[in-house]
Structures are given as structure tokens and as C-alpha cells.
Amino acid sequence: MCMKRESNPEAGSAGQSTLKNGAQIIVDTLIEQGVDTMFGYPGGVVLPLFDKLYDAPIRFIIPRHEQGGCHMADGFARATGKVGVIVVTSGPGACNLVTGLATAMMDSVPIVALTGQVRTELIGNDAFQEADTTGITRPVTKYNSIVKDVKDLARTIREAFYIASTGRPGPVVIDLPVDIQVAKYGDNGSREMRLPGYRVRTKGHARQILSAAVAINASQRPVLYVGGGVISGNASAALRALAEKAHLPVTMTLLGLGSFDQDRAESLDMLGMHGTAYANYAVQECDLLIAVGARFDDRVTGKVKAFAPNAKIIHIDIDPASISKNVHVDIPVVGDAKAVLEALTEQVEERPRKEWFERIAQWKKKYPLRYDRSSGSIKPQYVTEQVCEQTDGKAIITTGVGQNQMWAAQFYRFHRPRQFISSGGLGTMGYGLPAAIGAQVGRPDATVIDIDGDHSFNMTMTELRTAVEYELPIKVCLLNNGYMGMVRQWQELFYNKRYSKTYLANPEYARVAEALGAVGMTVEKKSDVPKAVRQMLAETRPCVVDFHIEREENVWPMVAAGKSLNEMDGLDILESMA
Ligand SMILES: Cc1ncc(C[n+]2csc(CCOP(=O)(O)OP(=O)(O)O)c2C)c(N)n1
Ligand SMILES: [Mg+2]
């Protein structure tokens, strides 16, 4: 068989002397694509590939579970702007990726996932560890494909990187039957791609940009509403230039945090369900809403019919499919956020908009984010503030999902892109720790802190061992309320305090951390918080600090599901803490 393939006349033009097997072609194509780090977990049908990875010049991180590995690749991608790469085996390995892929898909994160597959002739036979990986992952990927001929291997992998990282980024799965990994082929060095239906628009239509500039110049009460697309499109500097020149207040989605320096006067911080009152009021009263790289998610809009009722809407997005999907848009601009914002900045005029900024200043003064500082118990907001203060607002923060995520978003102040890494669209509990590991792998120079919930942490805490193994000094700040706090909050508010199935007894996290080879600390007294944060930051080993916080603390303000943005609950509670 092998001999026959070696003399295959279809082998590349370089001839017999350069025949390589598929696994080597995969590794060479990864290196050609600039991959120096990858994540992955072995298994039977990826053994040929793992054999070639044995001496490849690629840093390889093995997680404890493929879901963790996929979140690591995702955290790596979000922290660095590069494509995250993961390789896993067929069947259970590929199935374990699904949550990670869906998380990356919802948040437009570039990942290339290589999955092993059974031999091509066995596909459809219920072979050992066979799963229909392309079928299972189709709805949670931007693109997927199975390679059935070694001739297509290099090209398919190149296409995967191109699709994952261009336009609206996203995860791509390439399924690799084991016989393709051992088949031999001559690499003819061609860099061609065959993607006739895939077009990426970059510049934006000049007439649409002009209409947008005219609308901005005419507006008395504009608001820029920006999302993760500004970060993935490397458009932060362009955003700042526009906001500064035209004097535009800026509010960010959860995924947009970091795209605009929160210390700047134009920042309205986060909007939406747990956004600031001043952002939500400004959106409801604005006469022009300029959405950039954001998708009008329901956690942002509240009741869609009542969203920004007086505003004309401009929507700048690289993905034409997201325009007018949830909210009718008056001036669509399909294009790259950076290119469009730069073109807009040239065409807008300086306008001080004093009255509008004064109105915003009144809201900011009346409704800042607050919590009860006099309380004797440990408030999660206090822990987050301490972490922010002691890191000078410079750390990379990842989160779990729930109240912890909202407190991190509200009380850490972000200054630059790629600093806040959180599962926004899917809301994946268990994301925080592996994402922190991936971010630390990509940014060894940075302080990386996972502000996590106890039950989110429970889901993937086994990855702490991965951090120990690779000497990644990540820090975990557990906001431990014992509860699935965000669900408990909804039960308190909407289900008459019937806390059905939202309490589970937790382990002693400090001992768990130590058993896994990390540093563990427990903090039960408010007065110990600053010192514990200091110790955590000084640690050179992975470290978990278990803060026993006020158990029934709530996140305020809150726009209940189905309410409009100006109908916020909890403002009276916040005011009473003044
Ligand atoms: C994988 C997964 N399962 C279930 C949920 C639903 N959910 C959202 S928040 C939450 C509670 C989170 O608890 P914890 O991590 O302790 O965070 P807290 O809200 O207490 O800060 C749950 C169960 C989810 N988002 N993800
Ligand atoms: Mg909790």
C-alpha cells in the first residue's frame, strides 16, 4: 500500500524525494501559518499527528479535559489577537469540544480545531470512537470540513486559518481521518485557496460613511454603543479618535469592555441588563445611536420595541448578516471597524455638545455604581475594587458566569483592549479558569486573574493542575457565596425566594488548590481582604483565594427580562447607600 502511494504520479511536482505523510504536512502548514503554541489532548486516531508533534517547534499545552483545552485556545486568542489552535481525537474528544466551540462562535473568537476521525472507509460504520464531528459542530462553527484526500490537506488547513481570522472571526473545525494522516504526498508548495463564496468586505461604502457622518454632525444627543468587534477589529485607537474629535459619549457591551478607556470623560461604562444607569438612560434619550461591532443582543436592548426610542441608528459591522437582525437600522455600514471609524473621523465636525454632557454628568452623579461599604461582611464589589486598585487596572481579567462576571465588569476599570475576557454570548460557566490559563500562555508578561464564581469554578477546576504543570502563575479570586448566585437572585426577585436547587455544599477550595499543587488561601474577614490580594499578587505559583462573600448579595441595577432599559430595578437601593 505504502509503496504504491509513494510512486503515485499524483504526488506533488517536487517528486519522490520530498514525499511527506499527512501528519507532517499538517505540522508544516501550522508552522507556515505562524503557529508557535497549541493546545490538545491525544487519542488513537491522532497518533500519527502527535508523533510528528513530538519534535515540532511548537509549544504544546495539554489540558485535563478537551472543553478546558478549547477555552484555553479561546483565552489565548482573545488575549493575543492570534488564532487559537487545538487538536483532539475523534468521538469523545471531538464531542468534548462542543461547548468551547459554541462559546467561541457566540463571541466571534478565531479558533482552528483539528479533530481526528476514523479511517475514511469506516466512516458511517459506527466504528470505535466514531462521531459525526462535522454534523455535530456545524451549528457551532463558522465553517467546518473533513479532509478526504491528502492532496487537499494543506489547502484546507490554510483555508481554516483564513476563515477563522478574517471578516467576523470564529471557530473552524477540520476533521482529519487517520488514513489521511499517514497517506504520503509531495508538497507542491502551492498557497492557493479555493473559497469562491467567501468574501470579506473591509472598507465600507463611501456613501454610507458620508450619510453616517452627516447624521453625527446633525445630532444633539449621540451615543456610541460599541461591542467586541471593536476589539477583534483592532479599532480601539480609531474609536478613541472619533469620540474625542466629535465629542461622543461611549458605552460598551460586556465584550466591548476595554475598547475604550473607562477613565476617560466620554465613557458611560457598560450598558444593558446590569449596565450603569447613566449608560441606559443615555441610550434611551439619545437622538442618534452609533453601533460599532455590536449585535443588539437582548441583554443589551431589553425590550426591543422600546429600545432607544428616539434615535436614528447607524450600525457599523463587518458581518452583513447582523445588520437589522434584531433592531431596524437607518444607516448600515458594512465594513471593517477600524477602516470605517477612521474614514468617519475625517468627515465629522467638532461639536462640544455641552448640554448633552451636562445631562449625562447629572445621571453619573446621581446613580454611580455603589455598594454598602459599611457592611461588616466581605462584599464582592469590595474584593473586585481591591483587585483593580492593587493591579492599577492593568491586569487581564477572566470570569466565570453569573454575579461574579457582572461584578467584575462593573467594579474593575478597564483601560485597554484584550484586557477583559469573558463568555458573553453563550454564558459558559467554567470558562474563567481555562481562559485565564490560555491568556497567560499567550501573555506571559501579564498578570492574569480569574474573578470567578464558586459553581463556575467547580465545572473546570481540574485545569488548575494544568496551570501548575506549565508553571503559569494565574490567580483565581473566588467570589464564593455558596450559591449559584445569579440564579438565586432571579429566584429571590421573581420566584418568591424559593431557592430551588441553587445551593450546593462546596469543598474547601484552599485545600483543593494545595492538593493540585497550587497555593490556596481562605479569607473570611473583611479586614483581611487587602492583605490577601497583596499576597495573591506576589505569588509566583498558581494561586486560589477563596473569598467567603456576603451570601445573598445582589447585582444592581437590573433591567428585568422584557423591561425596557430605563425601567431599572435597584436604583433606590443604590441611592440609599450614598
Ligand atoms: C454551563 C452552564 N450551566 C448553567 C448555566 C446557568 N447559570 C447561569 S449563572 C449560574 C450560577 C453561577 O454560579 P456561580 O458560578 O457560583 O456564580 P455566582 O452567580 O454565584 O457569582 C447558572 C447555573 C450556565 N450559564 N452555564
Ligand atoms: Mg456562587
Side-chain angles (χ1 to χ4, degrees), residues 220 222 243 246-250 265-268 351-364:
Q220 309 280 317
H247 297 277
L248 307 172
V250 182
E266 298 92 346
S267 177
L268 299 172
R351 293 262 194 286
R353 301 195 162 91
K354 265 185 111 180
E355 266 178 44
W356 183 222
F357 274 96
E358 270 162 24
R359 178 127 181 83
I360 288 169
Q362 283 167 1
W363 287 320
K364 280 191 172 179

Side-chain angles (χ1 to χ4, degrees), residues 4-22:
K4 201 172 157 204
R5 280 223 175 80
E6 283 187 14
S7 58
N8 183 351
E10 284 192 54
S13 57
Q16 210 168 328
S17 60
T18 57
L19 283 184
K20 300 191 232 176
N21 76 6

